[in-house]
Amino acid sequence: MTTSEKTAYLKGLADGLAIDPATNEGKMFAAVIDAFEAVARDIKALEENDLDLSEEIDSLSDDLADIEDIVYGDKDDDCCASCRDGGEFPEIYEVRCPKCGIVMTIDKETLDSGETECANCGEELELDFDGDGSDDGE
């Protein structure tokens, strides 16, 4: 039984008992029934709002899934060509620009080419990696 149905039952019960609305008890019963009717209306409005919000959330979730497919591609894809080819993550190196001080990340291919351009100031950087992992300032 819904709240509205229970409230209607109480109203019918009060009418069937012939409670006089002019007495103090009758006034109290009428006020309680009116309060129950207001609560029942509010609950019905909340249920309708909940249904609308659920439908909107479902729609947003579908839209987000579409965006994820566009951004991340097929979920079965690896992260990059290097992962597909060798099954390993690509090697990434950090390089600090001596002119502006920004730290950039470069891949092995760029490192092997021996030069790159600073993404911040445009300075041409010569890359010389000796492979021993030491930081010699460049």
Side-chain angles (χ1 to χ4, degrees):
M1 204 189 261
T2 67
T3 308
S4 296
E5 291 168 340
K6 289 178 182 178
T7 302
Y9 172 76
L10 285 175
K11 191 171 189 174
L13 189 60
D15 289 343
L17 292 175
I19 296 177
D20 184 10
T23 65
N24 288 337
E25 294 83 7
K27 290 177 186 177
M28 186 201 56
F29 280 123
V32 168
I33 291 171
D34 286 345
F36 282 154
E37 286 176 334
V39 168
R41 281 191 305 273
D42 291 346
I43 288 173
K44 183 174 174 114
L46 287 171
E47 288 171 343
E48 290 171 357
N49 190 38
D50 180 54
L51 181 62
D52 292 343
L53 289 174
S54 293
E55 290 173 358
E56 187 65 28
I57 288 171
D58 288 343
S59 175
L60 289 171
S61 179
D62 292 343
D63 291 346
L64 180 59
D66 292 342
I67 291 170
E68 286 174 342
D69 285 345
I70 291 168
V71 171
Y72 298 115
D74 189 6
K75 292 175 179 67
D76 294 333
D77 285 351
D78 293 322
C79 69
C80 59
S82 185
C83 288
R84 285 190 295 276
D85 296 340
E88 297 179 11
F89 289 105
E91 292 182 48
I92 302 292
Y93 301 90
E94 288 186 347
V95 177
R96 182 180 305 273
C97 175
K99 182 176 180 184
C100 69
I102 190 172
V103 176
M104 302 179 300
T105 57
I106 60 170
D107 59 13
K108 177 116 173 83
E109 184 178 312
T110 304
L111 180 66
D112 290 342
S113 73
E115 61 184 22
T116 191
E117 185 177 289
C118 176
N120 187 47
C121 68
E123 178 77 10
E124 191 67 33
L125 306 176
E126 291 184 26
L127 306 171
D128 183 22
F129 180 67
D130 58 16
D132 67 1
S134 65
D135 184 9
D136 59 3
E138 289 284 331

